[in-house]
Amino acid sequence: MATLSIHFDPAVIARLTSASGDDTIHVTLSIGGGSDGASVSPVVPHGPLAALMQAGLLKPDTVLTFHQRRANRSGRAVVTADGQLIVDGHSSPFPSPSKAAEAVTGNVINGWTLWHTPDGSTLDQLRQKLDTQ
């Protein structure tokens, strides 16, 4: 018996979770030709995080976090393959680190210095590293 595996991009999941009860979502599945199945075109990152991703300094599915002790606030976001950020508690992806940070904090804030990678680096530090390469 054949196995069916379906992978949805995080942006698709975000769209599905933001749909209201009255929305109709159409999903089309097709069988690809050839012996190795359907070819999948690679997702190309765009936007502010694209250069970091193309240089291999930031990868899709990386979890970014921050914690502000004085404000007793923290946040978590996941990098999508196309260079956006999906923030916990928000159904739509954000195009930039600062917009994602603003969604969590409620304030205009520099997301480049706020978000940290799992190794503790800020996005701004990754950007500086990119500039020195």
Side-chain angles (χ1 to χ4, degrees), residues 108-127:
V108 175
I109 192 164
N110 185 347
W112 290 95
T113 58
L114 185 71
W115 293 108
H116 289 81
T117 62
D119 72 0
S121 301
T122 65
L123 293 175
D124 191 52
Q125 289 169 327
L126 293 182
R127 198 165 49 175

Side-chain angles (χ1 to χ4, degrees), residues 22-36:
D22 297 330
D23 286 346
T24 301
I25 305 293
H26 296 279
V27 177
T28 303
L29 300 175
S30 59
I31 297 175
S35 61
D36 57 353

Side-chain angles (χ1 to χ4, degrees), residues 41-120:
S41 11
V43 176
V44 178
H46 60 276
L49 297 177
L52 295 178
M53 295 178 77
Q54 291 164 347
L57 296 173
L58 187 65
K59 301 202 179 307
D61 300 322
T62 299
V63 175
L64 304 176
T65 57
F66 76 83
H67 181 72
Q68 295 175 311
R69 264 184 296 193
R70 281 192 237 161
N72 195 27
R73 214 176 8 213
S74 60
R76 181 182 176 277
V78 178
V79 179
T80 65
D82 66 353
Q84 298 189 72
L85 295 174
I86 296 178
V87 177
D88 283 355
H90 296 269
S91 57
S92 297
F94 292 91
S96 74
S98 295
K99 291 291 183 191
E102 185 178 342
V104 177
T105 65
N107 301 313
V108 175
I109 192 164
N110 185 347
W112 290 95
T113 58
L114 185 71
W115 293 108
H116 289 81
T117 62
D119 72 0

